[in-house]
Amino acid sequence: MPKRLFPRDKTAEDQNKSHSRDMDSLNLPLPPLMDPDLQAARNRHKTPKPQRNGELSEFQQKLSKNPYARALATPVRNCAITGVRLPNYFLLDFGLAPHPMTEKPWQMPRLALDPNVAGLGEASNSDQGSEQPDTAPTEDDRDNKAKLVGQRPDQTVAGSYIISQQSAMKLVSEVRRRAYMHMVPHRWKQDTRFKTDDIVWREDMDTFVLDLMRRKTVRLLRYLSSLPAAYIAKCENYQDIQSKHQPGAVLWLGGHDADDVSNTLEEAPPPYAMVKYRAACHIPVYNLCALLSTEYLGQLRASSQLFHGTLAVVKQKSSTMDALMHLWRLMGYMASNAELN
């Protein structure tokens, strides 16, 4: 059959097929924000791990009940002052909270936003009305610390981390304003909800944080003493510790009352003191007379008879992990404090 000298006209169907072939050759890869494989690779570390079907091994059980292992396993963060990268257990998380009166941003520790810390949120209306809005608080304002935190933790701006040491808090309070602004995170400077120049740092931040940590320590110990499981046990002397089962920390209380404490300070254990337990391990000894003030130690004694005496033992259980970790954290925060040495 002879070939056509002139090709026949393309139909609409032929034109659609040709157009689809041309479009297939021009297809571009998906952008990263729309690529499901790339998004799945990015988010695989954020999805919760499936629960283990079997029981934990003996070594895993020991790690889960080890407060030091738990502290070292916390996420690593960067200190805004020293630039040191540490597990965030050794750092204090700070955020910006609006002042309830002036709405100015105050740099506050997130520990102050913990509703379980006793004493917060108890400021009266008369105290709030007598506050000076343009004056940074001093030690005279310690009774009004609750209203400086604010009652809206959901509006707190993403925070920064500072090494958990009282000397570091005091250093920030003593630096000039220009040096302090260099410590402010860059993302805070880009936030349009507030002015960076309006950020306020408490002049007594070192004692403010210390007071919060002492409150939480007392709350945790009082809670353990109220449980029927006997997580805290009294000891007559250091030899009596050997008869206790699974001790996690030794509390040195100094005596039965305040007079006994003043008379026995010379026998107080030094910072980071340890006691040997059954030739197998060493247990930290915490001097609560130095870690806690007389006021908080009195509250602790009044809460339970377990704290009447010279020594007490906190058992190393899953329920006591928060208390054991917080005692160690309070010790580290006061490492440079003259009261501790």
Side-chain angles (χ1 to χ4, degrees):
M1 182 176 180
K3 296 182 179 180
R4 291 177 177 270
L5 296 178
F6 301 99
R8 62 183 178 84
D9 295 336
K10 293 184 178 180
T11 62
E13 183 178 358
D14 295 336
Q15 291 180 355
N16 291 337
K17 291 181 179 180
S18 177
H19 180 70
S20 63
R21 287 195 297 270
D22 294 340
M23 292 300 296
D24 292 339
S25 63
L26 296 177
N27 281 343
L28 298 176
L30 289 174
L33 295 178
M34 300 178 59
D35 190 349
D37 296 333
L38 181 59
Q39 292 299 319
R42 286 181 175 178
N43 297 329
R44 70 178 185 273
H45 299 295
K46 300 180 180 179
T47 56
K49 295 183 179 180
Q51 297 292 335
R52 297 185 179 91
N53 295 328
E55 296 181 356
L56 296 177
S57 64
E58 183 179 356
F59 179 71
Q60 290 174 332
Q61 291 178 2
K62 289 183 178 180
L63 283 182
S64 64
K65 296 180 181 180
N66 191 321
Y68 311 107
R70 285 195 175 190
L72 295 174
T74 54
V76 177
R77 295 294 182 264
N78 188 62
C79 174
I81 298 178
T82 62
V84 177
R85 293 180 61 82
L86 292 170
N88 63 7
Y89 170 84
F90 302 97
L91 304 171
L92 285 173
D93 188 8
F94 279 82
L96 291 181
H99 193 284
M101 298 296 296
T102 64
E103 294 296 328
K104 288 186 177 181
W106 284 65
Q107 188 170 355
M108 302 296 296
R110 293 193 183 275
L111 180 61
L113 300 177
D114 186 357
N116 295 323
V117 176
L120 293 182
E122 296 178 357
S124 61
N125 296 330
S126 59
D127 291 336
Q128 293 181 0
S130 61
E131 183 186 355
Q132 300 296 329
D134 296 329
T135 304
T138 60
E139 293 186 358
D140 296 336
D141 301 319
R142 297 179 64 182
D143 293 337
N144 300 329
K145 58 176 61 70
K147 65 177 179 296
L148 302 181
V149 176
Q151 302 299 329
R152 294 171 292 180
D154 57 308
Q155 295 186 6
T156 304
V157 180
S160 64
Y161 292 87
I162 299 177
I163 191 167
S164 180
Q165 288 188 357
Q166 190 173 6
S167 57
M169 302 294 109
K170 189 178 298 184
L171 174 64
V172 179
S173 301
E174 295 174 353
V175 298
R176 296 184 178 181
R177 183 68 181 179
R178 179 178 297 181
Y180 169 74
M181 296 308 298
H182 285 292
M183 303 177 189
V184 174
H186 183 67
R187 61 180 178 275
W188 290 2
K189 299 177 182 179
Q190 294 181 330
D191 201 314
T192 59
R193 289 175 290 176
F194 53 84
K195 296 181 179 180
T196 309
D197 295 336
D198 293 339
I199 297 178
V200 179
W201 174 275
R202 291 180 60 105
E203 295 179 0
D204 62 338
M205 185 64 78
D206 60 319
T207 55
F208 175 65
V209 174
L210 176 60
D211 188 68
L212 291 175
M213 297 182 74
R214 283 173 168 173
R215 292 186 183 194
K216 186 170 184 179
T217 302
V218 172
R219 181 184 65 83
L220 292 172
L221 293 177
R222 291 177 63 177
Y223 169 72
L224 292 178
S225 64
S226 65
L227 298 178
Y231 291 118
I232 298 179
K234 295 179 64 175
C235 294
E236 297 297 332
N237 47 49
Y238 284 104
Q239 289 72 24
D240 192 21
I241 299 175
Q242 307 301 322
S243 62
K244 304 302 179 183
H245 183 60
Q246 291 184 328
V250 178
L251 307 179
W252 193 85
L253 302 166
H256 295 277
D257 49 39
D259 294 336
D260 291 341
V261 172
S262 61
N263 293 333
T264 56
L265 280 178
E266 58 187 10
E267 303 175 4
Y272 303 104
M274 308 288 285
V275 61
K276 197 170 185 179
Y277 177 70
R278 296 182 181 178
C281 62
H282 289 79
I283 305 171
V285 181
Y286 297 105
N287 182 0
L288 294 191
C289 298
L291 293 178
L292 304 179
S293 62
T294 305
E295 175 188 358
Y296 290 120
L297 185 57
Q299 294 179 8
L300 196 62
R301 292 182 183 279
S303 63
S304 174
Q305 293 291 328
L306 294 173
F307 304 110
H308 286 210
T310 305
L311 295 173
V313 168
V314 181
K315 295 185 178 180
Q316 189 165 331
K317 298 286 188 178
S318 299
S319 301
T320 63
M321 283 297 102
D322 288 343
L324 294 175
M325 294 178 68
H326 202 73
L327 282 168
W328 192 32
R329 193 177 193 183
L330 179 59
M331 171 74 77
Y333 181 80
M334 298 180 62
S336 60
N337 194 318
E339 297 179 3
L340 190 62
N341 298 307

